[in-house]
Structures are given as structure tokens and as C-alpha cells.
């Protein structure tokens, strides 16, 4: 004789899967922790770093920065140049050098410039920001005098400015080999090694520069970035703590500390550092979002919602929201709303949702669809309101699988099985939603006591996800019920 308690058991198991759009299914929850389905994950957090400021000095006193001597025939020209250079009349000084080669130049024409005068000429070009002319002039100088230290150093500076780091490194190494080893040279060499993705060499260079100039903030900053790039988070964090003791109001340092703490898997420390950066005035969108995500995972839910509201207010006050630039940021806000609804933080989600309404005409159809989906999932809606919101979400984005499944489940709860089945079929054709759609559709057939079709759909879901042993058990039960073995 056929009994009826097994159908109720199966239906009970399947009812677990008929949640709204924020869980994959009850059957998924049997084998996975609930945190697997949360819209946000710690490794999605992006902290916008402030770039270091590198200062490359080119010098502006041509007559003093030289290692070679002027020729006797150039002495009178030097006397002419000195007052012009002192007054920063660089073009006039350049004209004086050009005039010295004329036949009527007194006391005698200078037909070939010495390395020392070429050094002066190159420095004048640097002052006029004529880098190509300066480079060719310094190259001419080292051709005449291969061990000309200042010319090599200036060539290195020009190549750094032109981002030709290999050439710059060659001339810097030559300068150091020739006996000049001040902090600036080691700092430049470290900077080049950092740009060439050899952070450990950069660390050695910055350490040498700091040994000579321990209070130089640029060398400290360079060493910090090199340690970070070398993934030496422990040393980087220790250095940051020391720098923060001297400069506690430097938001750049707090941002770096937050980033390192996140990489070091100390999220609470990352959150504290990020909050310090925000209090010091850094309210970039990426950092507000990062702080909100950290709060959702390890801090205060209300603070996370407040930070997202702050970002929306910033856009409103400045009129700065641009779809091409801020769409990704809006997606992050929408993800925060999804998380709040998933965790049933209705009081935080509701005002944030309302705040997004002012951007309805500026965001994409997909984003509008997601917001409609969230509003439909909020408590307090009538059945009619919920249906209308889900339908609007699907109209705005016909490929919104979450909305299709949510509306299907909504119709299923109202025993409108025909509409539910049509929507589950549509959802099954969308990548990433087929498994949930098959399981939801199977539940409809179970409620209609069509166990054969329910088993067919569960087999399709199992084919998509063979690890679902719970589906295997339910399929066996359905097969036994269908053949009247029980």
C-alpha cells in the first residue's frame, strides 16, 4: 500500500531551497557554510593608495656643478656667463656660448667646447627643460672625457625623467664607480631598481641612502614602498609604525598601513588604520567602499551603511557622479545593500536604498534592475507590490537571473505554478543560474506530485554540480515514490 509521509519529507527538504534571491538554495546550504553565499568577501576589498611623490633634482647652478676645468680660452666666456646665470638669464647665457664660436669673437673664437663648458651648456639646457639637447650635450662631454662624473650623473637624471631606466642605471653605476657616493645617488639608483621590478636591490639602495641621510622622508618613503613590493610586510609595518610616530597625521601612511594589514590578514588593524585615514580627510570613493566592506565583515554594520551614504552625499553635493567613471563604485554600493538585505539588516538597508533613488536616471539598466530586486526583497511590501517590483527588475534587465528566480518563487508561494514554471525555464537558460532554476522548478513539480519530472530536473542540476550528494538522495526518493515502491 502506498504511504504519503515520504512526499512530505521531500517537500520539507526542498522547502529549504525556496528562499528569496540572496541564497543559492537550501540544498547548497546543507553542504556549505552560510558565509559562502554572502555578496561580499574580504579579498574583494580595494584600498586606493596615494602614490609616492618622487623628486628628481636637476640642479640650476651650471658653473658650480662641474668636475672638469675650463680651458684658458674659455675663461673670458666664463666671466660673461656667470652674471647671466646668477640672474637666471639662461637663454642669454646660451646665446653667449653660441656667439663664442663666431670668427669675430674676442679674444679668439672657441671652435670646440671643452667637457667643462659642455657641462655648463648641458645644465643650461636642463634649466630650459630642453632635455634632448641637454642629453646630447652631456653625451658629447663624456665622449671627450669618459670619467666625467657630473656629466654621467646628469645623464642619469635625464634618463630617469624619460623613464629610460636601464640607461639611467648604467650612468648612475658609472658615477658611483668613479667615487661619488652621496645619498642622492644611492636614492636614485634604488628608485630605478624599484621601477625595474627589482625591489630587493631597491631596498639595499634606500638603506644606503638612509644611512647617509637618516631623516630624509623621500628615502624613507622609497624604502617603505620597496619593502611592500618585496612582500616583506613585517618589516614594512614596523617601518610604518616608526614613521607614524613622527608623522601621525599623514593619511598616506595610514592608508599604507591599512593595505599591509589587509595583506597580512589582520583586518581589524586594517579597519582601524583606514578609519584614521578617513578622519584625516581622505574620502576617496575606493577608500570609503573599502572601509564599509571591512565594517561589514569585522566592524559595525551601521557604520558601513553610513559610509555608503556619505559617498552618495558626496556625489550629490558635488554633482560629480559620472556613469563612465563611477559605475563600478555604484556596483559596490549595491553589493553593500545586497549584504545588508541578506543579513536582514532592514533598518540600515532601507535608507540606503532610498538614497540611491536620485541616481535612477544615471545608472545602467542592470543596476536599476538590482535596486528593484532589493526593494522587492524588503519586508512590508504587499504581494502585488512585490510582484510589480520583480517584474520591473526583469523588464530593466531580462538576464537578471536573481529576479527571475525570485519572481518564480513568489508565484510558487501563491500557487501560480504556470507562471512559476515559465520563469524557472527562463532562468535556467542564464549562465550561473541553471542549477538554482532546476531545483526551484523541481519543487514546483513535487508540489504538483509530478515526481518523475521533478527527478528529471534534479538530475540536470546534479549534472551541473556533481558534488551535491543531497540531490542524489532526493532523486532516489523521488524514483522510489514514482514507481510506487513505497
Amino acid at each position: 500500500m502506498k504511504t504519503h509521509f515520504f512526499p512530505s519529507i521531500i517537500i520539507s527538504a526542498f522547502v529549504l531551497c525556496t528562499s528569496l534571491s540572496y541564497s543559492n538554495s537550501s540544498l547548497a546550504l546543507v553542504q556549505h557554510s552560510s558565509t559562502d553565499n554572502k555578496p561580499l568577501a574580504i579579498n574583494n576589498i580595494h584600498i586606493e593608495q596615494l602614490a609616492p611623490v618622487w623628486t628628481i633634482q636637476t640642479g640650476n647652478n651650471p658653473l658650480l656643478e662641474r668636475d672638469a676645468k675650463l680651458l684658458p680660452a674659455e675663461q673670458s666666456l666664463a666671466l660673461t656667463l656667470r652674471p647671466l646665470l646668477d640672474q637666471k638669464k639662461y637663454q642669454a647665457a646660451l646665446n653667449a656660448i653660441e656667439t663664442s664660436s663666431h670668427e669675430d669673437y674676442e679674444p679668439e673664437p672657441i671652435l670646440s667646447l671643452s667637457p667643462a663648458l659642455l657641462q655648463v651648456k648641458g645644465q643650461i639646457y636642463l634649466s630650459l627643460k630642453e632635455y634632448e639637447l641637454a642629453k646630447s650635450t652631456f653625451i658629447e662631454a663624456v665622449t671627450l672625457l669618459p670619467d666625467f662624473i657630473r656629466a654621467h650623473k646628469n645623464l642619469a637624471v635625464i634618463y630617469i625623467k624619460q623613464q629610460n631606466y636601464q640607461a639611467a642605471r648604467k650612468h648612475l653605476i658609472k658615477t658611483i664607480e668613479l667615487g661619488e657616493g652621496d645619498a642622492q645617488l644611492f636614492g636614485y639608483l634604488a628608485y630605478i631598481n624599484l621601477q625595474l621590478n627589482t625591489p630587493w636591490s631597491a631596498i639595499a639602495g634606500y638603506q644606503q641612502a638612509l644611512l647617509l641621510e637618516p631623516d630624509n622622508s623621500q628615502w624613507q618613503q622609497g624604502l617603505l614602498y620597496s619593502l611592500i613590493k618585496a612582500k616583506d610586510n613585517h618589516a614594512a609595518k614596523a617601518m610604518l609604525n616608526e614613521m607614524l610616530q613622527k608623522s601621525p597625521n599623514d593619511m598616506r601612511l595610514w592608508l599604507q598601513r591599512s593595505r599591509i594589514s589587509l595583506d597580512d590578514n589582520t583586518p581589524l588593524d586594517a579597519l582601524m588604520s583606514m578609519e584614521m585615514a578617513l578622519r584625516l580627510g581622505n574620502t576617496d570613493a575606493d577608500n570609503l567602499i573599502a572601509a564599509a566592506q571591512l565594517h561589514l565583515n569585522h566592524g559595525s554594520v551601521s557604520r558601513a551603511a553610513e559610509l555608503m551614504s556619505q559617498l552618495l552625499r558626496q556625489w550629490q553635493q558635488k554633482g560629480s557622479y559620472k556613469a563612465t567613471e563611477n559605475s563600478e563604485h555604484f556596483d559596490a554600493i549595491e553589493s553593500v545593500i545586497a549584504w545588508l538585505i541578506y543579513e536582514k539588516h532592514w533598518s540600515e538597508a532601507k535608507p540606503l536604498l532610498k538614497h540611491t533613488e536620485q541616481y535612477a536616471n544615471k545608472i545602467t539598466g542592470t543596476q536599476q534592475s538590482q535596486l528593484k530586486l532589493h526593494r522587492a526583497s524588503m519586508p512590508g511590501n504587499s504581494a502585488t507590490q512585490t510582484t510589480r517590483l520583480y517584474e520591473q527588475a526583469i523588464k530593466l534587465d531580462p538576464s537578471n537571473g536573481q529576479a527571475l528566480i525570485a519572481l518564480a518563487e513568489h508565484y510558487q508561494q501563491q500557487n501560480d505554478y504556470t507562471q512559476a514554471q515559465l520563469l524557472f525555464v527562463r532562468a535556467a537558460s542564464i549562465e550561473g543560474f541553471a542549477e538554482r532554476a532546476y531545483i526551484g522548478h523541481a519543487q514546483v513539480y513535487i508540489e504538483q506530485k509530478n515526481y518523475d519530472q521533478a527527478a528529471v530536473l534534479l538530475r540536470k542540476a546534479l549534472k551541473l554540480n556533481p558534488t551535491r550528494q543531497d540531490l542524489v538522495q532526493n532523486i532516489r526518493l523521488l524514483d522510489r515514490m514514482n514507481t510506487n515502491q513505497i
Side-chain angles (χ1 to χ4, degrees), residues 68-198:
K69 293 183 179 180
L70 293 170
L71 297 175
E74 297 170 334
Q75 293 298 330
S76 61
L77 177 58
L79 294 175
T80 302
L81 292 175
R82 186 174 295 279
L84 296 174
L85 296 173
D86 289 341
Q87 298 172 43
K88 298 184 179 180
K89 295 181 178 180
Y90 300 122
Q91 190 59 54
L94 188 60
N95 292 339
I97 294 175
E98 297 298 332
T99 304
S100 69
S101 63
H102 294 175
E103 293 182 1
D104 56 351
Y105 182 78
E106 296 292 341
E108 61 179 300
I110 303 174
L111 301 179
S112 179
L113 301 182
S114 69
L117 197 53
L118 286 169
Q119 160 74 10
V120 173
K121 187 179 180 182
Q123 285 282 13
I124 292 172
Y125 279 132
L126 281 179
S127 299
L128 293 171
K129 301 188 185 307
E130 296 282 358
Y131 297 120
E132 285 299 321
L133 291 172
K135 182 169 68 175
S136 61
T137 303
F138 290 130
I139 289 174
E140 186 179 352
V142 297
T143 301
L144 294 172
L145 186 61
D147 293 340
F148 196 169
I149 292 178
R150 285 297 175 190
H152 282 293
K153 184 175 181 180
N154 284 321
L155 278 170
V157 169
I158 293 171
Y159 282 124
I160 290 173
K161 284 184 174 294
Q162 295 178 337
Q163 298 184 2
N164 186 345
Y165 299 120
Q166 293 286 1
R169 180 158 62 179
K170 181 184 74 172
H171 288 284
L172 274 179
I173 291 172
K174 182 67 174 179
T175 304
I176 294 172
E177 288 175 348
L178 290 171
E180 185 165 336
D182 59 18
Q184 188 181 69
L185 280 177
F186 284 108
Y188 285 174
L189 188 56
Y191 171 78
I192 288 170
N193 286 325
L194 186 58
Q195 302 308 308
L196 292 174
N197 295 314
T198 54

Side-chain angles (χ1 to χ4, degrees), residues 16-279:
L16 293 175
C17 81
T18 58
S19 61
L20 294 180
S21 58
Y22 296 97
S23 66
N24 288 332
S25 70
S26 68
L27 300 178
L29 296 178
V30 171
Q31 296 192 4
H32 304 287
S33 67
S34 61
T35 55
D36 291 339
N37 298 317
K38 291 185 179 180
L40 296 176
I42 191 69
N43 59 2
N44 290 334
I45 295 174
H46 171 67
I47 296 175
E48 181 66 17
Q49 298 292 291
L50 298 179
V53 179
W54 308 110
T55 304
I56 307 298
Q57 300 176 359
T58 55
N60 59 7
N61 195 332
L63 285 181
L64 292 178
E65 293 190 9
R66 55 187 173 85
D67 296 302
K69 293 183 179 180
L70 293 170
L71 297 175
E74 297 170 334
Q75 293 298 330
S76 61
L77 177 58
L79 294 175
T80 302
L81 292 175
R82 186 174 295 279
L84 296 174
L85 296 173
D86 289 341
Q87 298 172 43
K88 298 184 179 180
K89 295 181 178 180
Y90 300 122
Q91 190 59 54
L94 188 60
N95 292 339
I97 294 175
E98 297 298 332
T99 304
S100 69
S101 63
H102 294 175
E103 293 182 1
D104 56 351
Y105 182 78
E106 296 292 341
E108 61 179 300
I110 303 174
L111 301 179
S112 179
L113 301 182
S114 69
L117 197 53
L118 286 169
Q119 160 74 10
V120 173
K121 187 179 180 182
Q123 285 282 13
I124 292 172
Y125 279 132
L126 281 179
S127 299
L128 293 171
K129 301 188 185 307
E130 296 282 358
Y131 297 120
E132 285 299 321
L133 291 172
K135 182 169 68 175
S136 61
T137 303
F138 290 130
I139 289 174
E140 186 179 352
V142 297
T143 301
L144 294 172
L145 186 61
D147 293 340
F148 196 169
I149 292 178
R150 285 297 175 190
H152 282 293
K153 184 175 181 180
N154 284 321
L155 278 170
V157 169
I158 293 171
Y159 282 124
I160 290 173
K161 284 184 174 294
Q162 295 178 337
Q163 298 184 2
N164 186 345
Y165 299 120
Q166 293 286 1
R169 180 158 62 179
K170 181 184 74 172
H171 288 284
L172 274 179
I173 291 172
K174 182 67 174 179
T175 304
I176 294 172
E177 288 175 348
L178 290 171
E180 185 165 336
D182 59 18
Q184 188 181 69
L185 280 177
F186 284 108
Y188 285 174
L189 188 56
Y191 171 78
I192 288 170
N193 286 325
L194 186 58
Q195 302 308 308
L196 292 174
N197 295 314
T198 54
W200 290 106
S201 298
I203 289 169
Y206 280 124
Q207 287 174 333
Q208 183 67 34
L210 280 169
L211 185 66
L212 299 173
E213 293 180 358
D215 296 323
N216 187 303
S217 60
Q218 181 159 312
W219 309 148
Q220 292 173 350
Q221 181 178 251
L223 178 57
L224 174 62
Y225 272 77
S226 300
L227 290 169
I228 292 170
K229 201 162 187 179
K231 304 297 183 184
D232 192 347
N233 289 338
H234 181 75
K237 202 166 186 179
M239 185 175 182
L240 263 174
N241 291 337
E242 181 180 328
M243 294 170 72
L244 281 167
Q245 287 182 353
K246 297 177 181 178
S247 305
N249 295 326
D250 190 335
M251 69 177 72
R252 180 181 285 106
L253 297 181
W254 286 111
L255 283 174
Q256 282 289 1
R257 193 175 189 275
S258 182
R259 178 70 264 173
I260 293 172
S261 297
L262 201 58
D263 290 341
D264 220 20
N265 199 27
T266 52
L268 290 177
D269 203 15
L271 178 56
M272 183 275 290
S273 300
M274 176 58 73
E275 281 288 0
M276 283 297 299
L278 295 179
R279 289 172 191 173

Side-chain angles (χ1 to χ4, degrees), residues 465-480:
N465 187 358
T467 64
R468 293 287 300 271
Q469 291 303 308
D470 55 322
L471 294 182
V472 174
Q473 296 172 5
N474 280 290
I475 290 168
R476 287 173 180 169
L477 285 173
L478 287 169
D479 287 343
R480 294 171 66 185

